[in-house]
Amino acid sequence: MNGWKVAFFSLAGLVAAAFVALILLVGGTTASPPLPESSATQEEGYTLVLNTTKNNFEGIANTYIRKAVKGALPVELSMGDDVLLTSELTVFSYTLPLAMHFDPIVQEDGNLLLKQSSMELGQLNIPPSTVLKLLKNSVELPSWMVVRPKEEEIFIDLQDLPISGDVQVKAKEVNLAQDEIILEVLIPKN
């Protein structure tokens, strides 16, 4: 029986060492992709201002994510006191729940920057930049979601959303405490 314990702990130590090696290998911070240039064009058109709630915005965002990844939803967005992205990462055949908390920041050009405030990856204590790098490398996100591990942020390029009719969307305000999200929609005259 003593031999089984030694073998078990040796195997557990080997798995833990391999996991730490993987984290260190993946954890090296590399340059994050640059933010896309603002492609906002001030076409002549009609402006519509939309006031929405966290619940409605959450539904719209998840619909666009689902369409971009062709039905499978590897990442789900929810909004409460902050923006929460949940997913799962598989490492050495172990599936670990992933929860990342972000504070939304409206950019001058109307895009959204999600600045990471905290994260949980199972019971592991891993730097947020490493988790973002793992997410970026293991989950195929839509082109309008730019993961920037070194900066611990995700850029949401609202101008790159696949909306028909050359419609442009800009965020004007995101106030989660008041459950108020204001979007501006520009519909060209054409």
Side-chain angles (χ1 to χ4, degrees):
M1 188 89 154
N2 228 358
W4 280 100
K5 287 181 183 179
V6 171
F8 175 75
F9 286 116
S10 295
L11 180 60
L14 183 63
V15 169
F19 187 72
V20 168
L22 175 71
I23 295 301
L24 292 175
L25 179 67
V26 173
T29 55
T30 58
S32 294
L35 293 178
E37 292 290 324
S38 178
S39 61
T41 57
Q42 290 296 7
E43 294 182 26
E44 203 171 306
Y46 307 100
T47 302
L48 179 65
V49 177
L50 298 173
N51 283 354
T52 189
T53 63
K54 294 183 283 191
N55 191 37
N56 286 333
F57 188 84
E58 179 181 307
I60 293 167
N62 285 323
T63 298
Y64 273 98
I65 293 170
R66 195 174 297 111
K67 282 183 181 180
V69 296
K70 314 274 189 286
L73 190 60
V75 175
E76 188 168 327
L77 180 138
S78 58
M79 300 179 95
D81 295 334
D82 60 5
V83 176
L84 174 66
L85 288 177
T86 55
S87 187
E88 292 180 339
L89 292 178
T90 302
V91 180
F92 295 121
S93 72
Y94 290 101
T95 301
L96 301 171
L98 172 63
M100 297 176 289
H101 297 267
F102 296 89
D103 294 320
I105 301 168
V106 176
Q107 302 290 99
E108 284 184 35
D109 62 1
N111 289 311
L112 284 175
L113 187 65
L114 302 178
K115 195 72 176 162
Q116 191 167 34
S117 56
S118 67
M119 70 92 205
E120 300 95 37
L121 178 60
Q123 300 292 333
L124 302 174
N125 187 12
I126 299 173
S129 59
T130 302
V131 174
L132 281 173
K133 188 172 180 182
L134 283 168
L135 176 70
K136 179 181 177 188
N137 293 338
S138 63
V139 176
E140 189 167 334
L141 296 171
S143 63
W144 44 268
M145 288 181 81
V146 180
V147 177
R148 304 184 74 217
K150 188 175 179 183
E151 291 78 9
E152 298 181 4
E153 63 189 22
I154 296 177
F155 178 75
I156 307 294
D157 190 355
L158 294 176
Q159 298 163 12
D160 195 32
L161 284 176
I163 301 175
S164 63
D166 296 327
V167 173
Q168 295 177 9
V169 176
K170 293 181 179 182
K172 297 306 271 182
E173 182 180 345
V174 177
N175 186 337
L176 298 179
Q178 297 295 319
D179 194 17
E180 183 175 54
I181 299 170
I182 302 173
L183 303 173
E184 184 178 275
V185 180
L186 177 67
I187 302 169
K189 277 187 178 179
N190 291 352

